[in-house]
Every structure is written in C-alpha cells, then in structure tokens.
Amino acid sequence: MSDIFREVDEDIRRERYKQLWDRFGGYLIALAVLIVVATAGYRGWVYWQTSQAESTGDRFVAAITLAEEGRHDEAIAALSGIAEDGSGGYPILAAFRAAGEKAAAGNTDGALADYDALASQSGLPPLIGDMARLRAALLLSDRASAAELSSRIGDLAQTGNPWRHNAREILGFAAFRENDLTTARQYFTEIADDQETGQGARARAEVMLSLIASRQGEPVETEPAEG
C-alpha cells in the first residue's frame, strides 16, 4: 500500500513540475541567457577598465619623465590630458602634478587656479580637496595676508584635522610675517604641544617659539583665580 501512495505522490510531483515548466520554462531559459550575457559583459568591462588603467599609467609615467627632464611645458600638456580623459585615480594625481609643474615653471597664478579648481571639484574626497586648499595656501604664504590665508585654511588648523600641523605652520609664519607675535606664538605652541606632530614640524615650531620669545619675551603664566 505504501508503494502505491509513493507512486501516486511521484506522479503528482512530475505533473506539477511539468505544469511549472510549461508556464515558466521560457522565462527560465531567458534568465539563464541573460546571466551568461551579463557575466560576459561584466568581464569585458573589467578587462576594458584594466586596459585603460594600464594605458593611463604608462602615460602618467611618461609625463613624470618629461617633468624630471625639466620639460615643464610638455609635462604640463601631458598631465592635463590625463586629468581630462584618464582612468582610475590617475586624473587626480595628474591634476595635482600639473599644478605643481606650473608652480615650478613660475606660473604661480596658473597653479593656484588649478588647486582652487581641485578644491571645489564635486565628488572629490574631502581629504583630497583639503590638500588642494593647503597647496594653494602654501603658494600664497609669502604674499597673501594672514587674514586671507586664515579664510582659506583656518578650519584645517582645528584640533583633530589631519592637515592641522601644516595649516598651523602656514598660519603661524603668516602671523609672524605681519609681526602678530601673539597669534604666531599660539599656532607654534599648538604644533609643539600636539603629541602627533612630526619631528621636523616640532623642531621648526620650537625654533620659532624661541625667536618669538627673543622679541616678545616669555609668555606670562596667569595664576588660577581663587574660588
């Protein structure tokens, strides 16, 4: 008796599978074909992306070689081309290097414009945009007022910002240049007291603090108010 029930159950299952195949078999075949095509397309896209990245990498190396040979105009043209149509992360690298080459060639205004364009570029990671702002401020450090530099990078000098050491140093030197020794002392003290300051920046800050002390005297320590 159990064998009869088993056969009936198997017949019912086969009939259900047949009905399902009759209804959805065509869709399943189409789906299988779509998966194959999509997989092939994705692999083709990955290959194309890899090829493009390799090609852009070769162009970038060639542009850097031109720069190292002192052929600034040719290097700038090559790097600008990569910045416009390169793939992967090379366009950003090329844009930064092109700005640096302009500065090296004496075209400070052109370099400044490039850094400002990078800083305002949408979709760029904030850390990279902030680096462009910092590079622009560095170009202006010997001619812009302390107020202008502060408007550009003052927020980068805040505690916790990864660029704070560089920003504080630029702003400290700007204040010193304008003989605002109190503000300069504040920035260089923050550099010297920061546990994450690099050895070079700390040494420069200590030299500047000594120089400020020779002009202004040692800072007066205020006594805590009695409660």
Side-chain angles (χ1 to χ4, degrees):
M1 184 67 69
S2 61
D3 292 338
I4 295 175
F5 283 121
R6 187 179 302 110
E7 290 179 8
V8 171
D9 185 54
E10 290 176 356
D11 288 340
I12 293 173
R13 287 181 183 178
R14 282 195 294 270
E15 184 62 27
R16 285 180 179 175
Y17 290 147
K18 182 178 181 303
Q19 291 175 356
L20 288 171
W21 180 258
D22 290 342
R23 291 180 61 187
F24 301 111
Y27 295 108
L28 293 174
I29 292 173
L31 179 60
V33 172
L34 180 60
I35 291 172
V36 171
V37 172
T39 301
Y42 174 73
R43 288 178 178 173
W45 179 81
V46 169
Y47 173 78
W48 181 83
Q49 285 286 90
T50 303
S51 299
Q52 289 295 104
E54 291 175 353
S55 174
T56 304
D58 292 341
R59 292 168 60 195
F60 185 77
V61 170
I64 297 303
T65 300
L66 291 172
E68 291 175 346
E69 293 173 352
R71 298 157 65 181
H72 296 297
D73 291 340
E74 295 175 66
I76 290 168
L79 291 165
S80 297
I82 296 170
E84 290 178 4
D85 60 19
S87 61
Y90 286 107
I92 300 300
L93 289 174
F96 269 99
R97 187 59 190 256
E101 286 301 307
K102 288 180 181 180
N107 184 6
T108 303
D109 291 338
L112 184 62
D114 285 355
Y115 285 132
D116 285 343
L118 277 165
S120 61
Q121 183 174 322
S122 61
L124 203 64
L127 189 68
I128 304 301
D130 290 345
M131 182 171 67
R133 292 166 56 198
L134 198 67
R135 295 296 295 270
L138 190 60
L139 285 178
L140 292 170
S141 60
D142 61 346
R143 62 175 179 172
S145 67
E148 181 182 349
L149 290 171
S150 182
S151 69
R152 280 178 168 271
I153 61 169
D155 59 312
L156 302 185
Q158 299 299 314
T159 300
N161 191 289
W163 299 113
R164 64 187 180 279
H165 311 300
N166 307 88
R168 288 170 179 171
E169 196 163 9
I170 292 172
L171 295 171
F173 278 115
F176 183 83
R177 177 164 49 84
E178 295 184 359
N179 205 36
D180 183 358
L181 301 184
T182 300
T183 301
R185 186 195 295 269
Q186 175 187 337
Y187 281 122
F188 289 117
T189 299
E190 289 175 349
I191 294 172
D193 291 347
D194 193 322
Q195 297 298 315
E196 297 181 1
T197 298
Q199 185 176 356
R202 189 185 305 280
R204 290 191 298 273
E206 290 172 353
V207 168
M208 291 305 299
L209 287 171
S210 297
L211 186 57
I212 292 168
S214 70
R215 294 189 183 184
Q216 193 183 44
E218 295 294 338
V220 178
E221 295 185 7
T222 58
E223 302 222 355
E226 295 183 1

